Amino acid sequence: MSPPTNIKNITVKKISAGRRTDFEDALAIEEPLEIRLDFELAGRRARKSISITMRTPGDDFALAAGFLFTEGIVRSHSDIASIQYCKSPDSEEHSPNIVRVELQPGIGFDAVKLQRNFYTTSSCGVCGKASLDAIRQQGCPTLSADGPLLQPALVHGLPDQLRSAQRTFDLTGGLHACGLFTPDGELLSVFEDVGRHNALDKLIGNAILTSADTLASSILVLSGRISFELVQKALMAGIPIIAAVGAPSTLAVELAHEHNLTLLGFVRDERFNIYTAPWRIL
């Protein structure tokens, strides 16, 4: 199996037991990705840069598609005509850090509705929003109160399955991860990134681009804490259950409660907390 292309090896000084030695260390690559939108405006094609995010290179098209979906700009794969890398401003080569998404004719784009600062960091995607109200106004759907239903024993095993699939984390120790599981505990997909919101956009975008009809009946497992924005993205995708090894924020719990999403935190050491919608846990 070939090594991942999203890591870089550097030589560092390692201090251990009072000795200093040269050591080859693997780091997760972090680079900016600019997402540009090509859309129809008053009968003509227009282009606009809508986001710059710091991410781990790889699965950039899925990241762009997931971002557009969770922002409410596209509703399905059929809204997207193409996704491609753009040419660099100073050369004829395509830049691996600029992606252009072309929307189908008739698919409009309201730049005012998006209301976001075009720069977000790898540590916190929500800080790029113009305001918290702008997120709520995206119209997160309220989920149906029915299934899937889970046994606690199945929930206990999910973080270990996710951890065993974190290939780049094994080498660097520096990435967040999210995985999509069936109600039977089968791992469908896993994505890693320096930004937890980017990892989730990649996961959702992959499902959108492959037309996978699995999100509404799946479990989302997170390697860290549960932020408001991650709940918002899961709701936009119709994912009914989030399980995480870390804690949720107050706003994450509030949003999950409002929209019938089951939120499980501290899923480790054969225990977990149910914060919202407990009826999905048998």
Side-chain angles (χ1 to χ4, degrees):
M1 182 179 294
S2 60
T5 58
N6 52 9
I7 65 173
K8 180 179 180 179
N9 292 321
I10 67 170
T11 301
V12 301
K13 301 292 185 183
K14 184 175 183 178
I15 305 297
S16 178
R19 300 180 60 186
R20 181 171 65 178
T21 57
D22 287 341
F23 176 73
E24 195 79 3
D25 195 16
L27 301 182
I29 295 175
E30 182 178 28
E31 292 182 351
L33 178 70
E34 179 183 356
I35 301 175
R36 297 177 180 176
L37 199 62
D38 184 310
F39 58 101
E40 193 172 272
L41 180 64
R44 302 178 62 181
R45 300 302 296 184
R47 290 180 181 176
K48 186 175 182 63
S49 176
I50 61 171
S51 178
I52 299 176
T53 185
M54 302 303 294
R55 98 301 188 194
T56 301
D59 303 297
D60 291 331
F61 291 178
L63 171 56
F67 173 81
L68 295 179
F69 182 84
T70 57
E71 291 293 337
I73 297 172
V74 301
R75 296 299 182 186
S76 69
H77 185 196
S78 61
D79 290 346
I80 300 173
S82 67
I83 306 178
Q84 57 187 309
Y85 288 107
C86 296
K87 290 183 178 179
S88 301
D90 53 353
S91 74
E92 290 300 310
E93 299 294 327
H94 284 81
S95 170
N97 293 328
I98 307 175
V99 166
R100 183 175 74 245
V101 181
E102 180 183 357
L103 300 184
Q104 293 282 8
I107 304 299
F109 165 62
D110 187 349
V112 176
K113 183 180 178 181
L114 191 60
Q115 291 188 64
R116 67 179 292 129
N117 183 327
F118 293 158
Y119 181 82
T120 60
T121 71
S122 61
S123 60
C124 175
V126 75
C127 59
K129 300 292 184 181
S131 69
L132 205 57
D133 288 340
I135 305 176
R136 293 187 180 277
Q137 290 169 5
Q138 286 177 209
C140 290
T142 296
L143 304 177
S144 170
D146 56 11
L149 304 178
L150 305 181
Q151 293 285 352
L154 184 144
V155 176
H156 292 319
L158 296 178
D160 286 343
Q161 289 190 66
L162 177 64
R163 178 64 185 85
S164 65
Q166 292 178 242
R167 185 178 174 213
T168 308
F169 182 87
D170 285 338
L171 299 173
T172 66
L175 293 179
H176 299 284
C178 60
L180 197 67
F181 290 79
T182 70
D184 295 326
E186 177 189 355
L187 178 61
L188 297 173
S189 62
V190 60
F191 290 87
E192 298 177 280
D193 199 278
V194 289
R196 53 176 57 88
H197 58 289
N198 290 334
L200 184 49
D201 277 340
K202 289 178 179 181
L203 182 147
I204 294 173
N206 176 70
I208 298 301
L209 293 179
T210 59
S211 300
D213 188 22
T214 55
L215 294 173
S217 59
S218 298
I219 310 157
L220 172 64
V221 181
L222 307 176
S223 63
R225 62 182 178 85
I226 313 169
S227 67
F228 178 95
E229 189 183 26
L230 297 184
V231 173
Q232 176 260 328
K233 289 179 180 293
L235 283 169
M236 292 296 287
I239 298 173
I241 301 174
I242 297 179
V245 299
S249 68
T250 56
L251 285 176
V253 172
E254 181 182 334
L255 187 65
H257 176 72
E258 289 177 2
H259 296 277
N260 286 342
L261 186 146
T262 299
L263 204 58
L264 312 178
F266 295 107
V267 185
R268 55 179 186 255
D269 302 325
E270 297 299 310
R271 63 180 177 86
F272 58 87
N273 297 341
I274 307 175
Y275 291 90
T276 58
W279 58 82
R280 293 194 180 95
I281 308 301
L282 297 173

